[in-house]
């Protein structure tokens, strides 16, 4: 399972529609994420940032995550977004083992 953080910036029209309707966007996000094979870990609003919301999601594979992003971005309410792949401390331990096993395979350029 892979974790991703999606940061998204709403359009002005989307913010107005959310404010006027009182719509719970976490429920809407959860529905599309689950339909595309993912799991919503959490969704938060952010103040004073370039993006309005941050979602942490879990997927079995990258294409399913990307499909979710495409679905939501093309919906028209998202003006901009950023995806960040997340890793756990266990992932870093495993990466360290790969490094140790293969570090001799690479030599930096010499002067």
């Amino acid at each position: 399972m892979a974790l991703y953080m999606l940061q998204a910036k709403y359009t002005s029209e989307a913010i107005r529609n959310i404010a006027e309707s009182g719509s719970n966007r976490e429920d809407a996000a959860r529905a599309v994420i689950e339909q595309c094979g993912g799991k919503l870990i959490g969704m938060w609003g952010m103040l004073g940032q370039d993006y309005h919301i941050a979602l942490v999601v879990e997927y079995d594979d990258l294409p399913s995550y990307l499909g979710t992003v495409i679905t939501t971005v093309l919906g028209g309410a998202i003006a901009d977004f950023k995806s960040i792949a997340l890793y756990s401390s266990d992932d870093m331990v495993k990466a360290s083992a790969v490094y140790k096993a293969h570090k001799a395979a690479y030599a930096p350029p010499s002067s």
Side-chain angles (χ1 to χ4, degrees), residues 2-8 26 29-30 33 38-44 46 53-59 65 82 84-87:
L3 292 172
Y4 302 95
M5 177 188 294
L6 176 68
Q7 296 180 351
E26 186 170 347
R30 179 175 283 105
I33 289 164
K39 177 182 177 185
L40 177 63
I41 304 299
M43 180 175 171
W44 300 270
M46 300 186 297
I53 58 170
L55 297 88
V56 175
V57 296
E58 185 175 52
Y59 281 85
Y65 171 70
K82 178 177 15 176
I84 302 167
L86 303 173
Y87 62 88

Side-chain angles (χ1 to χ4, degrees), residues 1 4 9 19-20 25 44 58 68 85 88 90-91 95 103 107 110:
M1 296 294 242
Y4 302 95
K9 181 177 188 173
E20 290 179 3
R25 301 317 299 160
W44 300 270
E58 185 175 52
T68 305
S88 67
D90 188 50
D91 291 331
K103 66 183 178 182
S110 58

Side-chain angles (χ1 to χ4, degrees), residues 13-89:
E13 182 179 349
I15 294 170
R16 181 176 21 263
N17 290 341
I18 292 166
E20 290 179 3
S21 71
S23 171
N24 184 337
R25 301 317 299 160
E26 186 170 347
D27 290 344
R30 179 175 283 105
V32 71
I33 289 164
E34 289 177 355
Q35 204 168 41
C36 292
K39 177 182 177 185
L40 177 63
I41 304 299
M43 180 175 171
W44 300 270
M46 300 186 297
L47 297 173
Q49 302 299 311
D50 292 334
Y51 298 92
H52 299 121
I53 58 170
L55 297 88
V56 175
V57 296
E58 185 175 52
Y59 281 85
D60 287 332
D61 58 83
L62 181 58
S64 294
Y65 171 70
L66 292 174
T68 305
V69 172
I70 292 167
T71 299
T72 56
V73 169
L74 294 180
I78 304 298
D80 193 16
F81 72 95
K82 178 177 15 176
S83 286
I84 302 167
L86 303 173
Y87 62 88
S88 67
S89 58

